[in-house]
Amino acid sequence: MSNIYVLCEGQTEEMFVNQVLCPYVQGVSGVFLTPIILTTKKTPKKKHKGGLVSYEKAKNEIQKLCSEHPNEYVTTMLDFYAFPVDAPGMGQIDGIKDVYERVKHIESEISKDIGRKNFIPNLMLHEFEGLLFVKPELLSEYYQESADAAKSLVNVRDEFETPEHIDNGKETAPSKRITSIIPEYDKVFAGSLIAIDIGIDDIRKECRHFSAWVDKLCSLK
């Protein structure tokens, strides 16, 4: 087995896999990662990709990939923020207080529902931008914002136990917090570049759910 297919939510995640995650995993285990953006809508003329509207759509693509590559692994890089309410296990998470237990519950239920031995479920807590709060001051440097912006971003980070704890409300998810301070933030342009500057080692130190996923990928030699 020399390849893992990563079904991801959009272009930023695709770039992150190509530029940050793949070189790291390949350096540790020799395994190559191939990102595939979730297809959300098809028309006769073109495809619109990115964003997860329904669980069934993701399920179909996951099972298709697992069937097409039975001797290789398939994993996901999808946001827990705004995850479809029709997904397995979503109806039980209100009673689970710990954020890590919540996401593990959903991943476990998805794994059971997919029912493929070569599938490794993974949801990002709470979305890709959570990783950027490992060093949020870099956001303001990229956009040449004032020291006040950098301080505001750091203050958001300091409110939470870890970057992965930054919550998933419509106005308080990591990406919403960034755009409220830096309105011109462009996820596709800046997201992966900032993640490269942060470095995957520092991200792993502060984001244990993400780090556990990376460990799994590195173990699949």
Side-chain angles (χ1 to χ4, degrees):
M1 196 281 294
S2 60
N3 189 59
I4 302 171
Y5 293 89
V6 185
L7 186 66
C8 50
E9 203 152 332
Q11 289 179 299
T12 304
E13 291 81 3
E14 179 187 40
M15 291 174 62
F16 178 79
V17 172
N18 280 329
Q19 298 176 11
V20 182
L21 194 56
C22 182
Y24 182 89
V25 174
Q26 196 171 24
V28 173
S29 65
V31 176
F32 190 80
L33 305 184
T34 299
I36 298 176
I37 300 178
L38 182 73
T39 303
T40 55
K41 183 179 180 181
K42 292 183 179 181
T43 69
K45 294 184 179 180
K46 61 181 179 179
K47 293 181 180 180
H48 297 274
K49 292 187 174 183
L52 181 57
V53 178
S54 76
Y55 169 73
E56 285 301 315
K57 179 60 182 173
K59 177 179 178 179
N60 291 339
E61 294 205 28
I62 292 167
Q63 291 184 323
K64 183 171 183 263
L65 283 171
C66 288
S67 296
E68 290 175 345
H69 308 283
N71 298 317
E72 297 175 299
Y73 283 91
V74 175
T75 189
T76 53
M77 189 177 178
L78 304 174
D79 293 342
F80 186 52
Y81 167 61
F83 200 63
V85 295
D86 63 335
M90 287 293 285
Q92 293 82 48
I93 62 171
D94 285 346
I96 304 173
K97 293 183 178 181
D98 183 82
V99 66
Y100 293 116
E101 292 303 316
R102 280 187 167 205
V103 76
K104 283 171 59 179
H105 173 72
I106 298 299
E107 290 172 348
S108 176
E109 293 301 307
I110 290 173
S111 181
K112 293 175 188 176
D113 188 57
I114 297 297
R116 303 297 176 96
K117 292 182 179 180
N118 61 332
F119 174 58
I120 301 170
N122 172 67
L123 300 179
M124 301 295 291
L125 278 173
H126 282 91
E127 57 180 339
F128 172 81
E129 275 80 4
L131 304 182
L132 306 186
F133 276 93
V134 171
K135 291 184 180 179
E137 63 275 11
L138 292 180
L139 283 153
S140 63
E141 292 178 11
Y142 252 79
Y143 288 94
Q144 299 181 339
E145 293 289 329
S146 67
D148 289 341
K151 183 178 179 181
S152 296
L153 290 164
V154 171
N155 286 342
V156 170
R157 164 64 185 91
D158 290 344
E159 291 176 14
F160 296 87
E161 182 179 340
T162 75
E164 291 183 318
H165 282 79
I166 298 175
D167 61 52
N168 63 344
K170 290 182 179 180
E171 302 300 327
T172 55
S175 62
K176 306 299 183 183
R177 292 176 184 269
I178 291 172
T179 54
S180 70
I181 297 168
I182 305 177
E184 61 269 36
Y185 168 69
D186 184 327
K187 177 177 181 176
V188 175
F189 167 73
S192 288
L193 296 177
I194 294 170
I196 290 171
D197 287 347
I198 294 171
I200 195 165
D201 289 327
D202 283 344
I203 292 173
R204 294 193 66 183
K205 287 176 185 176
E206 292 202 38
C207 303
R208 82 181 201 202
H209 183 73
F210 172 80
S211 185
W213 177 52
V214 175
D215 280 339
K216 288 180 184 177
L217 300 184
C218 288
S219 71
L220 300 172
K221 299 180 180 180

